[in-house]
Amino acid sequence: MSSDILNADDGDSKRLPWQVGRVISTVRAQRGLSLRDLSQATKGKDPAGHGVLPAQISRIENGAVPDLRETHLLCDALGFDASKLLKPDLVPWYVVRRETALATLKEVQNGSRKTERLQKRHKHMMDMNIYHYVPLEEEYAREGEREGKIYPGMRSYLFEVARASEEDVSTGLDSHPGEEVVLVTEGELEFWYRQPSDGIDRSLLLRPGDCIHYSSELPHGYRAAGKTDAARALFVFADPRMSIPSDITTSATSDEE
């Protein structure tokens, strides 16, 4: 998940509690709102109906200092606690223990806990009990094993996939905006996909330790393979509006002088 917006580090610059514009800009991007969208939202929060104009929001995001009314309206429209601008959270982190995730997975499987995907994505596979998701979020962390508050730019899940017929997998292929990373942890997974250019279903086998990264625009799906009835993976979904450049590079080394 993304780092806390209040604790983001702009290179070597020192974070200052009155850098409201940077926080507003980050939260607005994470919410997928344009300047006009946010301006309209502030009008709904303003008893006078004036709100904050798009041009003024742009100026604030570029360093202008907002007044108290503007700060309150912007934070309220974004669903963000304005008091945290002056008293930022701790640098955030949390742990979800394996036993907690598996206990939650069991509740999902026996029906005592229900999970759904946004806009009914992969609905067929979930309705057929082929896909089970457990969000690896802060609420599942133990007391004393989390600090601060994360405003995520990506989501992570424990992902369990059961066996399925070729017909179900083909019917269940789905596409949507975003990027996905799946790292197999237990069992074997078949990754199915269909390139729109030819409409042909294809598959490849993923074993424990294998990792696949793909655009969610690619019609895709999974089923368990191998000798087990189910496979498990770490599933990470990233918001397409967030661009996160890599800060780690690797290169081959040579013994030649």
Side-chain angles (χ1 to χ4, degrees), residues 2 6 19 67 86 95 98 103 107 118 120 127 189 217:
S2 66
L6 286 175
Q19 290 176 333
D67 60 27
L86 300 178
V95 174
R98 182 176 187 272
E107 293 177 354
L118 181 67
K120 304 300 181 181
D127 288 346
L189 274 182
E217 299 284 356

Side-chain angles (χ1 to χ4, degrees), residues 102-136:
L102 292 181
T104 306
L105 176 62
K106 186 175 182 179
E107 293 177 354
V108 172
Q109 292 170 330
N110 65 28
S112 61
R113 181 183 293 269
K114 185 178 181 181
T115 58
E116 294 181 330
R117 288 207 56 174
L118 181 67
Q119 300 173 355
K120 304 300 181 181
R121 295 169 181 170
H122 299 283
K123 183 177 186 301
H124 176 77
M125 303 299 272
M126 297 184 75
D127 288 346
M128 297 293 294
N129 285 320
I130 298 169
Y131 289 176
H132 295 108
Y133 298 88
V134 173
L136 301 177

Side-chain angles (χ1 to χ4, degrees), residues 162-174:
R163 290 188 177 277
S165 67
E166 291 190 4
E167 180 181 1
D168 275 328
V169 178
S170 181
T171 300
L173 294 185
D174 202 356

Side-chain angles (χ1 to χ4, degrees), residues 191-242:
F191 172 69
W192 283 57
Y193 66 98
R194 180 187 301 141
Q195 284 290 356
S197 58
D198 58 26
I200 299 175
D201 290 355
R202 296 180 174 85
S203 67
L204 59 90
L205 185 65
L206 302 174
R207 298 183 175 86
D210 289 343
C211 179
I212 186 168
H213 185 164
Y214 54 91
S215 166
S216 307
E217 299 284 356
L218 177 70
H220 59 277
Y222 290 90
R223 70 174 179 177
K227 297 180 180 180
T228 58
D229 292 331
R232 291 176 184 159
L234 170 65
F235 170 80
V236 179
F237 172 75
D239 188 316
R241 295 177 294 263
M242 300 300 292

